[in-house]
Amino acid sequence: QVQLVESGGGLVQTGGSLRLSCAASRRTLIYYAMGWFRQAPGKEREFVAAISWSGGSTYYADSVKDRFTISRDNAKNTVYLQMNSLKPEDTALYYCAADRTTYDGPYSPTDFGSWGQGTQVTVSS
């Protein structure tokens, strides 16, 4: 397993932007597919975006397509989620997750074996 730490969450107005970061401690993220998930109060955790180990393949939930962008910098052991045009329904606790695989996807949530503690994103209307 790899230890993951998310950062970058906060309070933003509708239409605003945030960039989340997910850093790995004590281990490189190369050869890991990475994903972002979110969970709103009273709802189940849902998939947001994923990126293959090389960065060559990306996947998005329909609800965030064209607004969110996942990227990675393997030299910095960090994965990012750029979130633009935020909506109140994007309010949730955002988690990053890692799956040690060179498979280019798509991925199932159960593929991800390592999870961070989450960072809160709140979008005010």
Side-chain angles (χ1 to χ4, degrees), residues 19-121:
R19 188 176 82 156
L20 305 184
S21 298
C22 172
S25 61
R26 299 183 294 178
R27 187 169 293 186
T28 179
L29 283 180
I30 197 166
Y31 305 134
Y32 282 84
M34 300 297 296
W36 285 97
F37 296 79
R38 66 187 182 186
Q39 187 168 19
K43 296 187 176 181
E44 294 187 353
R45 188 176 297 184
E46 64 174 358
F47 168 76
V48 176
I51 187 168
S52 63
W53 71 279
S54 65
S57 298
T58 56
Y59 303 90
Y60 296 94
D62 288 341
S63 58
V64 306
K65 204 171 292 184
D66 299 326
R67 298 189 299 123
F68 290 10
T69 302
I70 188 171
S71 62
R72 66 189 300 157
D73 185 338
N74 284 343
K76 294 183 178 180
N77 290 331
T78 303
V79 176
Y80 305 98
L81 185 68
Q82 177 66 44
M83 305 186 296
N84 299 328
S85 302
L86 283 161
K87 305 175 181 180
E89 50 264 44
D90 294 318
T91 295
L93 188 61
Y94 282 71
Y95 299 89
C96 74
D99 171 25
R100 196 179 193 286
T101 181
T102 55
Y103 172 58
D104 284 334
Y107 309 99
S108 167
T110 57
D111 292 334
F112 294 89
S114 299
W115 293 79
Q117 294 300 305
T119 185
Q120 179 67 39
V121 172

